[in-house]
Amino acid sequence: MKTKLSQTILIFTVLFSYATALMSNTAQAQTQIIAHRGYWKTENSAQNSITGLQKAAEAKVYGSEFDVQLTGDGVIVVNHDDKVNGITIAEVLYSKLNGIKLKNGEKIPTLEEYLEEGKKLKDIQLILEIKPHKTKELEKEISEKAVRMVKAAGMEKQVEYISFSRYICENLARLTPNSEIAYLMGDVSPKELKEKGINGIDYHYKVLKKKPEWVKEAHELGMKVNVWTVNNTEDIKNMLRLKVDYITTDHPVEAAKLAGNKN
Ligand code: MG
């Protein structure tokens, strides 16, 4: 009798875990959208601006991506290129950048200012791309400073990290092991990254078109898959078919519609 009861319990336990696993798989199935450099292809916005972040939040997409660089005096600023108006950011004091305006008239935000605004926008993830720097020392410095700032703001769950520098990703994995960290270059298998504590890939869509098996490999390892920068409808559809977790795009509103996201 006892054996029958324990058998029944075992069967129910197995069935229950199976159903839960199925449900969580379904929950993960819908691809989410990330606005590349914020939502900038809209009125009064600009790439890597505070407005771009606000507009992405208004569009109710999953995340807003942005790039950061270190100035000569160690301030982290939000900008894609290492130069602005012919000035190399790493070689000048932050004060030299203060008067420079973005296309929408805003100043170049610091990471601190960007996080401050992001904290008010609770429903959007901030996808922080740390740009490769000239030396390992600088890459270590910017990684440490960025993580410290995110932790001080209490935003560890709202900020995810990406980088083309494997050294930066490995540093991040050590500094903030519970964060989402994805490598961008596209030249390493998910398994190899996972061994270094990097828990995501964020590859160019052409890389995943050639190696669709990396999506499966990453998912089996419990890693997230993001793709950049997918702007064409057919390419977006292809990536949706591959069941990537995130699509990074300059057309977040259109992509969210294609993905069937409610917004
Ligand atoms: Mg970027």
Side-chain angles (χ1 to χ4, degrees):
M1 188 64 182
K2 246 189 173 174
T3 329
K4 266 205 169 166
L5 182 64
S6 49
Q7 269 178 354
T8 317
I9 291 171
L10 181 69
I11 290 166
F12 270 103
T13 314
V14 170
L15 281 176
F16 182 73
S17 346
Y18 185 63
T20 321
L22 267 183
M23 274 161 66
S24 66
N25 272 345
T26 320
Q28 275 174 7
Q30 198 178 50
T31 302
Q32 300 293 319
I33 303 304
I34 294 169
H36 181 235
R37 302 180 199 169
Y39 183 19
W40 57 273
K41 282 190 182 236
T42 185
E43 217 182 325
N44 299 326
S45 194
Q47 293 189 6
N48 281 318
S49 66
I50 298 279
T51 308
L53 168 62
Q54 291 163 336
K55 298 271 186 191
E58 274 167 32
K60 293 190 164 55
V61 287
Y62 173 83
S64 189
E65 187 261 0
F66 63 108
D67 311 283
V68 297
Q69 313 263 355
L70 205 54
T71 64
D73 53 345
V75 177
I76 305 179
V77 291
V78 180
N79 200 65
H80 178 266
D81 296 345
D82 58 357
K83 280 190 182 141
V84 57
N85 289 2
I87 302 169
T88 304
I89 294 173
E91 291 172 1
V92 296
L93 300 177
Y94 168 66
S95 57
K96 289 270 177 206
L97 304 174
N98 225 352
I100 298 174
K101 298 270 186 266
L102 300 177
K103 283 198 172 144
N104 65 346
E106 263 179 55
K107 72 180 208 63
I108 297 175
T110 61
L111 175 59
E112 202 166 6
E113 291 161 346
Y114 203 92
L115 292 177
E116 203 178 301
E117 183 58 29
K119 201 170 176 174
K120 295 181 207 153
L121 310 166
K122 298 273 176 225
D123 295 328
I124 192 154
Q125 290 297 101
L126 307 190
I127 316 300
L128 198 174
E129 178 180 350
I130 303 182
K131 284 291 176 195
H133 284 58
K134 275 203 171 133
T135 64
K136 283 195 169 179
E137 286 69 29
L138 287 172
E139 293 199 335
K140 195 162 173 273
E141 184 185 337
I142 190 169
S143 308
E144 286 175 354
K145 275 192 174 157
V147 169
R148 210 180 306 138
M149 232 177 247
V150 169
K151 285 187 179 173
M155 294 172 75
E156 284 123 302
K157 291 230 166 78
Q158 202 187 346
V159 175
E160 304 179 15
Y161 299 87
I162 56 175
S163 187
F164 278 99
S165 158
R166 209 170 145 180
Y167 182 72
I168 288 176
C169 288
E170 287 177 15
N171 262 292
L172 290 167
R174 195 172 40 78
L175 294 163
T176 182
N178 295 324
S179 293
E180 300 284 339
I181 302 158
Y183 175 61
L184 290 160
M185 192 66 91
D187 56 344
V188 181
S189 75
K191 188 171 171 282
E192 203 178 322
L193 293 172
K194 178 82 180 184
E195 281 161 7
K196 299 280 182 194
I198 299 160
N199 52 22
I201 56 169
D202 184 355
Y203 286 174
H204 191 268
Y205 64 93
K206 283 183 183 162
V207 171
L208 294 185
K209 240 173 151 179
K210 259 192 211 157
K211 290 184 182 282
E213 68 277 12
W214 275 1
V215 178
K216 199 167 168 262
E217 183 181 317
H219 284 161
E220 280 170 1
L221 291 163
M223 298 169 76
K224 288 286 194 311
V225 179
N226 188 351
V227 277
W228 56 273
T229 300
V230 200
N231 288 335
N232 170 292
T233 304
E234 265 324 294
D235 294 327
I236 292 172
K237 284 183 180 167
N238 275 331
M239 290 301 115
L240 289 171
R241 276 193 283 271
L242 272 185
K243 297 201 185 309
V244 298
D245 300 286
Y246 312 113
I247 288 176
T248 302
T249 175
D250 291 318
H251 304 288
V253 174
E254 294 82 350
K257 269 188 202 137
L258 288 169
N261 294 165
K262 283 191 190 108
N263 52 9

